[in-house]
Amino acid sequence: MRSAKDFFAPLAVGAPAPLREVPARPARMIHFFDPSNPKMAAKVPDMVGSVDVLLGNLEDAVKAENKEAARQGLVDIARATDFGEHTQLWTRVNALDSPWALDDLVTLVTEVGDRLDVVMVPKVQGPEDIHYVDRLLAQLEARAGLTRPVLVHAILETARGVANVEEIAGASPRMQGVSLGPADLAADRRMKTTRVGGGHPGYLVRQDPVDGDVAGERTTYQQDLWHYTIARMVDACAMHGIFPYYGPFGDIKDVVACEDQFRNAFLLGCVGAWTLHPAQIAIAKQVFSPSAEDVAHARRVEAAMGDGTGAVMLDGRMEDDASLKQCLVILELAERLAATDPELAELYAEGGPA
């Protein structure tokens, strides 16, 4: 882990980010709440310990006339709440070109920066946006006398941001991760969908004609609009040692499709997703935690592979060095989750739960 002094050191514009070790705290669900909404704010203390991340949202979901109330509300919540060891406090500030972003950062870092883990920056266009936030945070942390750096999380919401994702991911040693922002990205790309995340019934492939009968019944298969973007984001994050996340799934009622979309993202390499409603929290926890069966199989492969060279047959399947690498990823994640989640610790215990 880099020291606070290293984090505070200015990063030269255009210079490659130095190697760093990002704190690998579980963040399977990033649960959004509006700090200006008294009902939502009142629920925060009861959610501590049951979610990995509570995020005070100051951006798009908050009306312009409520921006200052949301900012102050988050300060009040941060001061009054003990988030403990298992729940992180994040915020999504307003866009850097808005009239509120500077006040968001100045107020939060100087007043509750010791309780704030991550600042999520929306609509990041390129590494220059991260450089700006990095340097401003360093100044504010020094002013507040903080000894722990506030980390930065970028949201991909524009075509330019996607085109620059590799540079964004490596722009600062503060970078914690990157999230997909599908709604704004769809608008910026002029995609013909009004959905917030998920697929679209019009984006499909069709079964070839049977015996040349083009008028006959042919099965269609809905495709994933976001596969390319998520895969590119995952590669950029992996290259720089930070974490990729799926963003929001807007259809709160469709828990089945939400689980499918979260699982697609997990299989592509995402470590978590945003949750907009309590119903999605359990889905994220289930999807982004390895199953007991996967953990047990990974342990068997690790034990059978010995020094990791050669190949073995387990249950009629060949396992080799590549298989072992996959299994070690599963085991590392399971160990990290079990350290903070007693239910998963029991589930992953050798031999399973008692």
Side-chain angles (χ1 to χ4, degrees), residues 46-344:
D46 293 333
M47 301 184 75
V48 170
S50 64
V51 297
D52 295 338
V53 175
L54 283 165
L55 182 145
N57 185 22
L58 307 182
E59 201 218 2
D60 284 353
V62 179
K63 292 182 178 180
E65 59 265 29
N66 292 337
K67 295 291 188 182
E68 293 186 8
R71 185 189 305 131
Q72 185 58 47
L74 184 54
V75 169
D76 295 341
I77 290 169
R79 287 174 171 167
T81 307
D82 180 2
F83 289 89
E85 298 180 9
H86 304 325
T87 297
Q88 303 175 55
L89 176 63
W90 292 21
T91 186
R92 178 171 73 168
V93 297
N94 286 282
L96 298 180
D97 60 356
S98 76
W100 305 288
L102 181 60
D103 286 340
D104 289 344
L105 291 168
V106 171
T107 300
L108 293 172
V109 177
T110 58
E111 296 194 23
V112 292
D114 57 330
R115 295 172 176 262
L116 189 63
D117 293 286
V118 175
V119 169
M120 183 180 281
V121 183
K123 301 174 180 64
V124 173
Q125 298 275 28
E128 67 278 3
D129 290 340
I130 303 302
H131 295 158
Y132 168 76
V133 174
D134 176 272
R135 292 179 177 186
L136 181 57
L137 288 175
Q139 293 172 327
L140 295 172
E141 288 163 338
R143 175 191 291 181
L146 301 182
T147 58
R148 177 180 62 91
V150 177
L151 301 184
V152 175
H153 184 107
I155 314 177
L156 294 186
E157 299 183 272
T158 67
R160 183 167 174 244
V162 174
N164 291 327
V165 65
E166 289 84 4
E167 290 78 10
I168 290 169
S172 166
R174 295 178 186 273
M175 284 299 294
Q176 182 275 341
V178 181
S179 284
L180 170 69
D184 281 287
L185 180 55
D188 193 61
R189 286 174 167 172
R190 298 183 179 86
M191 295 169 65
K192 306 307 183 287
T193 177
T194 57
R195 298 183 174 205
V196 178
H200 191 286
Y203 191 68
L204 54 84
V205 294
R206 189 178 300 273
Q207 178 188 16
D208 286 345
V210 178
D211 297 328
D213 182 10
V214 295
E217 184 174 340
R218 296 152 63 183
T219 304
T220 59
Y221 306 87
Q222 186 170 318
Q223 302 294 290
D224 185 359
L225 289 164
W226 306 109
H227 185 279
Y228 158 78
T229 306
I230 294 174
R232 183 165 182 184
M233 178 182 73
V234 167
D235 285 344
C237 289
M239 179 170 68
H240 290 284
I242 65 175
F243 303 113
Y245 295 81
Y246 188 79
F249 186 86
D251 192 344
I252 304 300
K253 300 184 297 300
D254 194 348
V255 294
V256 175
C258 177
E259 180 175 345
D260 291 340
Q261 198 68 26
F262 283 5
R263 195 171 302 282
N264 289 344
F266 176 65
L267 291 171
L268 282 170
C270 290
V271 301
W274 301 6
T275 54
L276 308 180
H277 186 275
Q280 296 180 337
I281 293 173
I283 298 172
K285 181 176 180 179
Q286 177 186 359
V287 168
F288 292 102
S289 303
S291 68
E293 293 77 15
D294 285 342
V295 173
H297 175 73
R299 288 190 178 126
R300 288 186 65 206
V301 173
E302 183 184 31
M305 285 295 296
D307 64 1
T309 61
V312 298
M313 295 296 293
L314 285 178
D315 303 326
R317 293 171 52 187
M318 185 195 77
E319 308 286 359
D320 59 8
D321 175 64
S323 307
L324 178 61
K325 290 176 181 176
Q326 290 177 301
C327 289
L328 292 178
V329 170
I330 294 293
L331 292 176
E332 189 275 336
L333 176 59
E335 180 179 356
R336 182 153 40 93
L337 295 176
T340 60
D341 191 321
E343 291 183 12
L344 288 177

